[in-house]
Amino acid sequence: MNSYDENDAFEAAAAPQPAGLSLSQRAMAARPAPYMDGLNPAQRAAVEAMDGPVLMLAGAGTGKTKALTTRIVHMLNTGRANPNEILAVTFTNKAAREMKDRVGRMMGGADGMKWMGTFHSISVKILRRHAELVGLKSNFTILDTDDQLRLLKQLIAANSIDEKRWPARMLAGLIDSWKNRAWTPEKVPSAEGSAYNNRGTELYAQYQKRLLDLNATDFGDLLLHTVTIFQTHPDILAQYQRWFKFILVDEYQDTNVAQYLWLRLLAQAHKNICCVGDDDQSIYGWRGAEVGNILRFESDFPGCHVVRLEQNYRSTPHILASASAVIAGNSGRLGKTLWTDETEGEKLRLIGHWDGEEEARWIGDEVEALQRGTRHMDPHSLDDMAILVRASHQMRAFEDRFMTIGLPYRVIGGPRFYERAEIRDAMAYFRLAISPADDLAFERIINTPKRGLGDKAQQSIQRTARDGGMPLLNGARRLLGDGGVSGKGAGQLRAFTEGMARWHEATLVPDYNHITLAEAILEESGYIAMWQNDKTLEAPGRLENLKELVKALEQFENLQGFLEHVSLIMDNTTEEQGAKISIMTLHAAKGLEFPAVFLPGWEDGLFPSQRSMDESGKKGLEEERRLAYVGITRAEKLCTISFAANRRVYGQWQSQLPSRFIDELPSAHVDILTPPGLYGGGFGAAAPAPKLEERVAQADVYNSPGWRRMQDRAAQRGTSQPREAKNTVIDLAAVSSFTIGDRVFHQKFGYGTIGGIEGDKLAVEFDKAGPKHVVAGFVTAADQSHDLPF
DNA sequence: TTGTGGGTCTTTTTT
DNA sequence: AGACCCACAA
């Protein structure tokens, strides 16, 4: 089967269409359609506005998917379009699947909706039909980032560029960003000429040529080539414009320039385009998304309907008020005011911790409390809870903690199934068996498992193949015939090429059993054995994944079909049993909702991310703020924000300041769970830090049992007694090191605070004030320390 | 050819 | 701290 053959819905367009509405359709349209029940006026308006462009500004939790799917159902039911005349585009397969499911549920099947999918999957369908116009054959392959990087490395080496100074990743990122902006090599502006040591454009052109030679595309090409075809072949564009009577776009705020052009070209004739988005949830600027697209919609499509969905069905008033207050800090918004009928609900909770481990500990306890149910909350399943972090490395502290207390968790968005090394290796074996000319697959697996074929041997294979103008696999065969490989490698290479020949034969048999074949390939190639002999910890998991892969084959008729599918669908489909708390990044959380959400790590530099602010300034900060908005609005009932005063960053302890977003939270909607003033930074607007004198007055360090214990110990050891230095302020810049509890910190603090949890011993060492001297104290419950009131 | 030790870098992620 | 990548030695 070739999926590019089955997609010929386009031909069906030539079939005569019913003129106007049928009687039954008119009857349907006349009475209020039952599927409209339960829509609010705004949603209804979004569903019914059919004459001209529509911009649906849908805030978080306002039922935009409901409006979007109902709109599709409405178009179908009123006979405005056939299922295959509606182009519905999303960004992720998950979103496409959900939309399909929901339309299917309302209509009793969404079979005819052939043009509902991601930008990329739809582009592939179009591109397969017109591949020759951009120099490809219709059975082109789609490279993943791994292949892409390997290709670029070869090019860089061939151009004798020092890959150390000019990494392939950098070039890949550059090319990707150019493709996101719909720039072919000729169109890259000369201002970009200095990129990649002045050779960026040149290498880009070479890379594109190499891709055509391989009859391959990368992900960016799928859109870029399609746009090129539309721009250079008006007749073809016109066909599609006629064909797609209505266009719907989800998450419009995340479109990049290429996608924007793609849409505008298709929509410019009839202008029946409906874009749904939320400018406040644009969080993918760093990968080319242009908030400008949504901000500009009204001038792009003059006379468009703008519908605002503002009634929120998800969150409590406190959560909405907090999210709104934070996002209000951004400028240039289209502006929305989320509101809700609900009046009940818990305030947000804000808590500071001593360090990241303490934070994880506290959240673990809190999760268990929520499971049991608390004074304020009914018992909740772990499935109802999520921890949303800014950066994926933050997830580890929680994994560690949950592992030790035996709390079931799931990490969402980790390394994806199809991106794991063992899966890609296995797929490369399948690819080579099906297409013996797939050189990239050959390179990946020729020495995996180790066959004694290192650099040298591989280079001779490359040379032989190039001289003979043949694929690498054939080159290897010829080299073997010529006796060009010696020693152990020869025997193993022969076994490999013979195996490949055998497996390739097998794929040519009509209706071959692809599952048995796949198992045979992995077994006979020695790939399974490689992992079985591997005694490292992750080996069993990898074998498990391979089994999983073979199982996934069952849903396909043959290996070809499977590979075609997998190149576009990269999501992890394995759903394990049992209730688990979810841990994921804020980015991965978009589109999801949970009754209880934890937002840890709200510290300046981490969130908002310092790098984001350094690289993109105010623009970066605003995107971070949108991320905060997304995080808070994921919560339905309970949202807990936390930060730590100290955190290990790249192996170094660093003192942290609370996030500036904490200062933007409205104090009336936030419960502070930490004694105010615990940390010098205070809680911003929610609760400003008390004056130092007040905090010193509250401190009762010297009456604590701990203080006495310290005195005892000093006496025992014959060292000097801890010095009393009450009501003095320490210049933190003079602190060279300090210890709290059993941790020692060697760091200069130009600013900030030092704190501990109750019971921590605390000692500070100075180096500026003459000879080193040490003061020591003890952290009490009342004064978990700040500017060291000794 | 394969294993190892030192140097480098460190946000977010879909297709 | 930890992952990754490359250069070098066995």
Side-chain angles (χ1 to χ4, degrees):
Chain A
M1 77 111 244
N2 291 312
S3 62
Y4 46 92
D5 285 335
E6 86 174 5
N7 291 321
D8 275 354
F10 193 77
E11 262 74 33
Q17 300 299 322
L21 303 185
S22 71
L23 268 183
S24 64
Q25 283 167 337
R26 261 184 274 167
M28 291 283 283
R31 82 181 136 80
Y35 52 80
M36 296 279 238
D37 292 351
L39 292 187
N40 67 36
Q43 290 171 326
R44 220 186 151 104
V47 167
E48 288 178 331
M50 291 282 177
D51 46 335
V54 179
L55 177 62
M56 200 194 302
L57 292 173
T62 54
K64 71 155 194 206
T65 311
K66 187 176 180 185
L68 204 51
T69 48
T70 309
R71 188 177 158 90
I72 293 173
V73 170
H74 189 61
M75 291 187 297
L76 297 173
N77 264 355
T78 53
R80 284 182 168 86
N82 289 325
N84 55 357
E85 292 170 330
I86 298 171
L87 173 67
V89 213
T90 61
F91 276 84
T92 64
N93 291 299
K94 202 170 124 216
R97 218 178 307 129
E98 190 187 341
M99 205 191 281
K100 237 177 208 163
D101 285 351
R102 285 176 80 152
V103 172
R105 240 177 292 143
M106 292 170 84
M107 299 288 294
D111 299 337
M113 305 228 35
K114 300 207 158 174
W115 300 100
M116 185 179 279
T118 62
F119 275 102
H120 291 85
S121 68
I122 291 168
S123 294
V124 171
K125 284 186 188 183
I126 296 175
L127 198 53
R128 294 243 188 250
R129 297 178 40 85
H130 311 287
E132 73 290 348
L133 298 180
V134 286
L136 289 165
K137 282 176 271 173
S138 72
N139 62 353
F140 61 83
T141 53
I142 303 162
L143 302 189
D144 56 34
T145 32
D146 242 38
D147 292 330
Q148 193 186 354
L149 225 50
R150 206 131 29 89
L151 211 57
L152 285 172
K153 277 188 183 158
Q154 289 172 7
L155 275 180
I156 290 166
N159 281 273
S160 3
I161 292 168
D162 179 11
E163 216 233 293
K164 200 107 198 195
R165 281 195 60 200
W166 302 98
R169 292 192 160 281
M170 183 197 271
L171 184 57
L174 205 59
I175 291 178
D176 206 49
S177 73
W178 287 339
K179 288 185 176 177
N180 283 340
R181 279 175 259 180
W183 291 340
T184 53
E186 316 80 65
K187 284 194 204 148
V188 176
S190 46
E192 303 271 319
S194 63
Y196 201 77
N197 201 16
N198 294 321
R199 305 190 60 181
T201 21
E202 179 192 341
L203 283 161
Y204 179 25
Q206 288 180 24
Y207 171 68
Q208 290 304 93
K209 184 163 175 306
R210 188 88 184 84
L211 284 178
L212 290 187
D213 289 343
L214 287 165
N215 190 30
T217 67
D218 61 20
F219 283 117
D221 279 339
L222 298 177
L223 284 151
L224 185 59
H225 284 323
T226 310
V227 167
T228 307
I229 291 171
F230 287 163
Q231 284 172 335
T232 52
H233 295 82
D235 49 323
I236 290 173
L237 175 62
Q239 277 184 319
Y240 285 97
Q241 286 172 337
R242 272 199 305 279
W243 177 239
F244 299 135
K245 290 190 177 163
F246 288 91
I247 300 176
L248 295 106
V249 190
D250 196 11
E251 306 277 14
Y252 187 65
Q253 78 281 355
D254 286 336
T255 47
N256 61 34
V257 172
Q259 287 155 341
Y260 167 77
L261 286 176
W262 192 99
L263 287 169
R264 211 178 58 173
L265 285 163
L266 284 171
Q268 68 194 173
H270 53 62
K271 300 198 168 56
N272 278 323
I273 183 168
C274 172
C275 292
V276 189
D278 181 357
D279 51 317
D280 292 334
Q281 292 189 65
S282 165
I283 55 175
Y284 285 108
W286 48 273
R287 69 173 200 221
E290 293 271 342
V291 213
N293 289 346
I294 194 167
L295 300 177
R296 232 184 22 243
F297 189 88
E298 290 180 71
S299 54
D300 279 343
F301 294 97
C304 67
H305 295 272
V306 179
V307 183
R308 282 186 159 75
L309 303 192
E310 298 180 302
Q311 183 175 5
N312 178 291
Y313 299 96
R314 179 187 292 164
S315 311
T316 66
H318 293 303
I319 291 169
L320 291 184
S322 303
S324 302
V326 170
I327 199 66
N330 274 5
S331 55
R333 300 170 56 222
L334 288 171
K336 282 181 286 25
T337 316
L338 294 184
W339 59 276
T340 175
D341 276 344
E342 301 295 319
T343 51
E344 301 286 298
E346 293 295 310
K347 289 184 178 178
L348 269 77
R349 302 187 304 167
L350 179 60
I351 183 165
H353 301 284
W354 166 237
D355 65 12
E357 281 129 66
E358 166 70 17
E359 184 180 48
R361 230 177 297 143
W362 185 84
I363 289 181
D365 292 349
E366 203 56 25
V367 166
E368 289 181 333
L370 282 175
Q371 257 187 304
R372 288 192 300 268
T374 66
R375 194 153 41 94
H376 306 291
M377 294 271 284
D378 296 334
H380 274 83
S381 155
L382 288 177
D383 285 331
D384 289 347
M385 304 178 214
I387 296 172
L388 312 183
V389 296
R390 174 64 182 84
S392 51
H393 64 76
Q394 292 172 262
M395 301 200 277
R396 225 190 116 157
F398 295 98
E399 288 194 65
D400 285 352
R401 181 63 191 160
F402 294 171
M403 198 79 88
T404 50
I405 62 175
L407 190 76
Y409 67 88
R410 82 170 67 82
V411 170
I412 295 183
R416 275 167 295 285
F417 185 70
Y418 290 109
E419 278 174 11
R420 287 162 207 255
E422 67 275 17
I423 300 302
R424 302 178 104 138
D425 289 341
M427 305 244 302
Y429 273 101
F430 302 160
R431 271 163 62 189
L432 195 57
I434 288 165
S435 337
D438 192 331
D439 285 353
L440 288 165
F442 180 92
E443 281 171 31
R444 182 175 183 104
I445 55 174
I446 181 59
N447 203 28
T448 313
K450 300 249 181 301
R451 296 192 173 87
L453 299 162
D455 265 1
K456 264 243 167 79
Q458 290 189 41
Q459 272 167 19
S460 353
I461 294 173
Q462 296 266 8
R463 204 173 331 107
T464 317
R466 199 163 348 104
D467 293 347
M470 55 177 77
L472 291 176
L473 186 56
N474 290 344
R477 292 200 175 104
R478 171 175 290 187
L479 196 65
L480 271 175
D482 298 350
V485 196
S486 58
K488 248 193 285 178
Q492 300 218 50
L493 181 58
R494 177 157 292 116
F496 178 80
T497 55
E498 282 169 0
M500 270 302 156
R502 211 166 52 240
W503 303 319
H504 180 62
E505 284 297 311
T507 64
L508 301 177
V509 178
D511 297 329
Y512 67 95
N513 184 332
H514 62 294
I515 296 173
T516 328
L517 177 62
E519 283 169 340
I521 293 176
L522 296 180
E523 197 64 53
E524 293 167 19
S525 62
Y527 191 71
I528 296 273
M530 176 181 104
W531 289 117
Q532 282 167 343
N533 297 334
D534 190 319
K535 293 288 168 257
T536 54
L537 269 160
E538 70 261 27
R542 294 184 190 267
L543 285 165
E544 200 54 43
N545 287 337
L546 288 168
K547 270 191 205 141
E548 195 75 43
L549 178 75
V550 173
K551 217 170 91 201
L553 288 170
E554 286 170 16
Q555 294 165 35
F556 297 85
E557 283 174 22
N558 52 32
L559 283 180
Q560 287 93 327
F562 176 71
L563 293 177
E564 167 78 16
H565 172 83
V566 161
S567 57
L568 281 178
I569 312 277
M570 297 291 276
D571 54 352
N572 191 350
T573 42
T574 44
E575 228 348 292
E576 331 86 282
Q577 309 294 313
K580 295 181 166 74
I581 182 168
S582 304
I583 307 175
M584 67 187 97
T585 62
L586 288 162
H587 285 88
K590 193 161 76 150
L592 304 177
E593 55 189 22
F594 301 90
V597 167
F598 292 90
L599 301 171
W602 279 43
E603 294 130 41
D604 244 49
L606 182 56
F607 186 48
S609 141
Q610 191 58 49
R611 184 160 166 182
S612 176
M613 294 187 290
D614 289 347
E615 284 175 4
S616 318
K618 186 172 175 234
K619 228 179 120 197
L621 177 63
E622 296 208 335
E623 183 152 315
E624 297 286 310
R625 193 176 276 119
R626 291 193 289 270
L627 221 35
Y629 175 81
V630 167
I632 296 170
T633 52
R634 295 313 95 190
E636 293 169 13
K637 294 183 190 161
L638 189 64
C639 179
T640 309
I641 294 173
S642 59
F643 64 93
N646 293 282
R647 198 176 284 280
R648 218 188 251 282
V649 184
Y650 302 143
Q652 290 288 315
W653 280 101
Q654 275 184 21
S655 148
Q656 301 289 107
L657 287 177
S659 167
R660 67 195 68 192
F661 298 148
I662 287 178
D663 294 355
E664 296 169 0
L665 292 168
S667 47
H669 299 279
V670 178
D671 270 338
I672 295 170
L673 302 189
T674 314
L678 174 53
Y679 299 95
F683 292 90
K691 292 270 172 292
L692 182 62
E693 303 83 69
E694 290 170 42
R695 283 183 277 155
V696 171
Q698 286 166 15
D700 196 17
V701 175
Y702 308 99
N703 277 326
S704 69
W707 180 257
R708 259 167 267 134
R709 216 177 313 141
M710 263 183 133
Q711 290 177 307
D712 292 348
R713 196 158 68 175
Q716 221 172 47
R717 291 181 175 178
T719 52
S720 61
Q721 283 286 317
R723 205 183 80 174
E724 275 204 36
K726 211 165 184 173
N727 295 337
T728 58
V729 178
I730 285 172
D731 174 12
L732 286 169
V735 173
S736 68
S737 69
F738 60 95
T739 64
I740 294 171
D742 50 4
R743 282 180 289 259
V744 183
F745 300 79
H746 301 280
Q747 211 165 342
K748 290 278 182 188
F749 284 91
Y751 66 90
T753 59
I754 301 172
I757 57 175
E758 184 183 356
D760 276 343
K761 294 178 290 291
L762 192 152
V764 186
E765 200 173 37
F766 298 86
D767 63 355
K768 266 194 185 163
K772 272 193 187 178
H773 64 282
V774 176
V775 293
F778 198 87
V779 180
T780 65
D783 173 20
Q784 297 190 9
S785 200
H786 15 80
D787 292 348
L788 300 186
F790 290 101

